[in-house]
Amino acid sequence: MSVEFITITLVIITFAIYTGIGWWSRVRDTSNFYVAGQNVPTVANGAAIAADWMSAASFISMAGLVAFLGFDGTIYLMGWTGGYVLLALLLAPYLRKFGKFTVPDFIGDRFYSSNARAVAAIATIFISLTYISGQMRGVGIVFSRYLQVDIIVGVLIGMAIVGFFALLGGMKGVTWTQAIQYFVIIIAFIIPAAAISFQLTGNPIPQLALTGSDIVDRLGQIQVDLGMTEYMSPFTDLSLLNVFMITLALMAGTAGLPHVIVRFYTVKSVRSARWSAVWAIIFIALLYLTAPAVGAFAKYNLIDTIAGEPLEDIQNIEWVEKWETTGLLQFNDLNGDGIVDFTGGDDNEVVIDGDIIVLSTPEVANLAPFIIALVAAGGLAAALSTASGLLITMTSAVSHDIYYRIFNKQASEKQRLRVGRLTLLVALLIAAYVGINPPGFAGEVVALAFGLGAASLFPVILLGIFDKQMNKEGAVAGILTGLIFTLAMIGMILSQSIFGTDQPILESFFGINAQGVGVIGMVLNFIVSFIVSRNTAAPPLEIQQLIENVRAPEVDEDSEIAAGKEE
């Protein structure tokens, strides 16, 4: 049987399971649609958080970024893992204790302002749209390869599937589907990693093979021989400044991502929120500790297979033919000698989209067809799980935080669900467009969302919990300052890929690239929030007391702050 047949069969089986779960958990009320009724078991919620977290950026793109960036690629590992620990320890328990549906809900009630709620909802929409665009690209790549269709068609197929799951079950269906998808993701990542590790080093444990064998030294020497920089040479693709700024943006952005934060509202108590975080960290670590090894193995196999070989022979290899069909792998014989020059410089004759590294590695290594199919199913599970959660987050921002809480407080359950589902469809169309016309690799696009989260929501959430004097004027001014500045900088720095300009409007912001500029927006947010809040009226005493109660140690772990809590 062909790889494609096995892949489609495995995808159909897993999708049938997801659909069954979605139908079983279909919802008819807003509590289940937005926060799964707040009764998800702790371990299941930890797995769902991990699946939501390990998006196409983690599964498909992160190892590719590590493969191409080498030492500099570790920023994604440090930023994303450090950021999750920051979120789990510093913010999540307090937000869950506050007892609201969404991040804009928290900001609206904490800052006693519809304006604060509205700008938080707008920030949520921008963050989520940017994030989901990377997921749609990941889905499109998988479908384009294994259905042998153009990536545009692949993205459109993915759009239809993501919309179906999110529309059917809301957050309840998405949560239980993600809990299952986590195990598909982790199995699909670790099994090929172990097989390739054993093939290259004789050690089936990727982490030990990476650190205990000479594979990195061999890869580094091959790259030097081909005219590239040494694999572990630091600050070759990114400056020291950008390594620091991107890592910080990813960390702070993690703590400001609304679709991750809302996960801690789906459990029944503060104690459950804490343990959900612990389980999620354990689940996430399994993939993140494996990704560096996959990146190094993939780069070694790819160079060893392609570099210096006759172009005609390479193009006759089955996996090369099929990836060339997608347009994500290209060969240009610039000097006409018929030999593939893989150098990474101006004379490089191989164009490889970094997002295909993980998906193509099992084929390059000539692993069993079932393992190749398993990786495809895992990539789809990673992208679909995160995309579904993001769609629910966006719809809640519009239908719950803007439509219901601001414009129509008498809206019925049916009206709110209708607005939410219409919003979901519009968001899908926008995400599909950006997925077809991305400003970078899936991981790079997702990093932009983290920058927006760091610049807009993180400072206000942090100050909202730990600064009693932070008021509504400071919150609104801070969010708008951070969001507008970061959006403007990203637009100008990436204007060539986003808007099709001949040259970027701005090369960088004083040496800081688009992925790291959110840190400047975050700093501006903190400064503006602090200054404005200290020069305007202090929050009402009941709000200050509410914050004291939120920060106080729990006496009854299952209790919640009642003030402002919805029926």
Side-chain angles (χ1 to χ4, degrees):
M1 290 186 290
S2 69
V3 170
E4 289 75 19
F5 178 81
I6 297 173
T7 301
I8 297 304
T9 301
L10 191 57
V11 167
I12 289 173
I13 292 171
T14 54
F15 276 32
I17 294 172
Y18 305 153
T19 303
I21 294 171
W23 183 259
W24 164 74
S25 56
R26 62 193 185 279
V27 299
R28 295 181 178 86
D29 61 85
T30 52
S31 176
N32 277 295
F33 191 81
Y34 296 134
V35 289
Q38 295 190 326
N39 61 1
V40 177
T42 301
V43 177
N45 197 50
I49 292 170
D52 211 353
W53 182 245
M54 295 187 306
S55 62
S58 293
F59 188 98
I60 295 175
S61 195
M62 184 170 63
L65 288 167
V66 172
F68 279 97
L69 297 177
F71 177 93
D72 297 345
T74 57
I75 57 172
Y76 294 94
L77 294 165
M78 294 186 295
W80 283 334
T81 51
Y84 184 79
V85 174
L86 175 69
L87 168 64
L89 297 180
L90 195 61
L91 301 183
Y94 300 108
L95 291 172
R96 177 62 188 86
K97 190 177 178 184
F98 202 89
K100 307 311 300 182
F101 264 8
T102 64
V103 171
D105 233 359
F106 164 76
I107 290 174
D109 283 11
R110 161 61 181 88
F111 296 108
Y112 49 97
S113 167
S114 294
N115 290 336
R117 184 189 306 276
V119 295
I122 291 168
T124 295
I125 292 166
F126 275 108
I127 294 166
S128 300
L129 274 176
T130 306
Y131 205 127
I132 199 174
S133 301
Q135 314 313 309
M136 298 308 299
R137 176 165 172 78
V139 172
I141 289 171
V142 174
F143 280 125
S144 67
R145 162 62 184 88
Y146 295 102
L147 295 179
Q148 292 293 284
V149 296
D150 187 84
I151 190 169
I152 295 176
V153 178
V155 170
L156 294 176
I157 294 171
M159 180 186 75
I161 293 171
V162 170
F164 171 76
F165 286 122
L167 281 169
L168 180 65
M171 184 58 81
K172 182 179 179 182
V174 166
T175 297
W176 284 106
T177 301
Q178 286 176 332
I180 300 300
Q181 285 170 332
Y182 167 76
F183 294 99
V184 175
I185 292 167
I186 202 65
I187 290 170
F189 200 82
I190 288 179
I191 288 179
I196 296 169
S197 175
F198 184 76
Q199 185 184 77
L200 292 178
T201 69
N203 188 335
I205 303 175
Q207 297 85 349
L208 296 180
L210 181 69
T211 56
S213 72
D214 63 346
I215 187 69
V216 173
D217 293 334
R218 285 153 55 192
L219 174 57
Q221 187 58 53
I222 290 175
Q223 292 202 170
V224 170
D225 292 344
L226 291 173
M228 305 181 196
T229 56
E230 204 276 329
Y231 185 69
M232 290 302 293
S233 179
F235 315 125
T236 55
D237 293 281
L238 295 170
S239 65
L240 174 60
L241 175 63
N242 273 310
V243 166
F244 175 77
M245 294 301 249
I246 295 173
T247 302
L248 185 55
L250 295 176
M251 288 183 66
T254 299
L257 286 182
H259 80 286
V260 176
I261 292 173
V262 75
R263 286 285 167 210
F264 296 98
Y265 298 155
T266 61
V267 291
K268 63 182 179 180
S269 68
V270 177
R271 183 173 185 272
S272 297
R274 291 194 184 102
W275 278 104
S276 292
V278 172
W279 279 109
I281 290 172
I282 294 170
F283 291 142
I284 290 168
L286 292 175
L287 186 142
Y288 272 57
L289 292 175
T290 309
V294 172
F297 299 158
K299 187 74 172 289
Y300 181 89
N301 260 341
L302 199 61
I303 293 177
D304 190 52
T305 302
I306 291 176
E309 298 296 326
L311 178 58
E312 185 178 351
D313 292 348
I314 292 297
Q315 290 184 310
N316 286 330
I317 298 175
E318 184 178 8
W319 69 265
V320 172
E321 290 180 353
K322 290 175 178 177
W323 279 108
E324 274 193 294
T325 301
T326 68
L328 301 173
L329 174 64
Q330 300 172 26
F331 296 92
N332 302 308
D333 190 7
L334 299 176
N335 57 15
D337 65 354
I339 302 297
V340 176
D341 294 325
F342 194 164
T343 65
D346 292 337
D347 58 344
N348 182 39
E349 297 179 343
V350 185
V351 180
I352 302 174
D353 190 300
D355 288 338
I356 76 170
I357 289 295
V358 170
L359 296 172
S360 65
T361 292
E363 294 180 279
V364 178
N366 200 28
L367 298 182
F370 179 77
I371 295 180
I372 297 171
L374 187 62
V375 172
L380 284 175
L384 292 174
S385 62
T386 303
S388 300
L390 287 164
L391 283 171
I392 298 300
T393 301
M394 278 186 284
T395 58
S396 66
V398 174
S399 64
H400 178 74
D401 297 304
I402 295 178
Y403 171 70
Y404 171 59
R405 296 303 300 271
I406 296 176
F407 291 112
N408 187 3
K409 294 183 178 180
Q410 282 73 47
S412 66
E413 292 270 343
K414 182 179 289 187
Q415 288 175 311
R416 291 154 63 188
L417 283 174
R418 186 183 300 120
V419 170
R421 285 169 169 150
L422 286 173
T423 304
L424 189 150
L425 292 174
V426 173
L428 264 179
L429 293 173
I430 298 172
Y433 173 79
V434 184
I436 293 168
N437 303 280
F441 296 152
E444 293 174 323
V445 175
V446 166
L448 298 177
F450 281 78
L452 291 172
S456 59
L457 296 182
F458 171 67
V460 177
I461 294 172
L462 188 68
L463 293 174
I465 294 171
F466 296 103
D467 181 9
K468 291 192 299 181
Q469 299 303 309
M470 180 70 174
N471 63 12
K472 61 183 180 181
E473 290 85 1
V476 172
I479 293 174
L480 289 176
T481 299
L483 182 64
I484 292 170
F485 170 84
T486 306
L487 280 173
M489 287 299 108
I490 290 173
M492 288 189 285
I493 295 171
L494 299 180
S495 60
Q496 198 169 9
S497 53
I498 296 176
F499 305 114
T501 59
D502 294 334
Q503 296 292 330
I505 297 173
L506 195 67
E507 290 290 341
S508 65
F509 182 78
F510 296 101
I512 303 170
N513 68 12
Q515 279 76 31
V517 77
V519 173
I520 305 300
M522 178 183 71
V523 172
L524 291 175
N525 188 333
F526 273 118
I527 293 172
V528 169
S529 297
F530 186 84
I531 292 174
V532 171
S533 64
R534 263 47 181 190
N535 288 278
T536 48
L541 290 177
E542 62 268 23
I543 295 295
Q544 297 186 44
Q545 184 59 51
L546 177 65
I547 298 307
E548 289 282 1
N549 292 340
V550 167
R551 296 207 308 260
E554 278 289 304
V555 176
D556 176 6
E557 288 287 4
D558 290 329
S559 68
E560 291 180 343
I561 301 303
K565 188 176 184 296
E566 291 205 357
E567 293 296 325

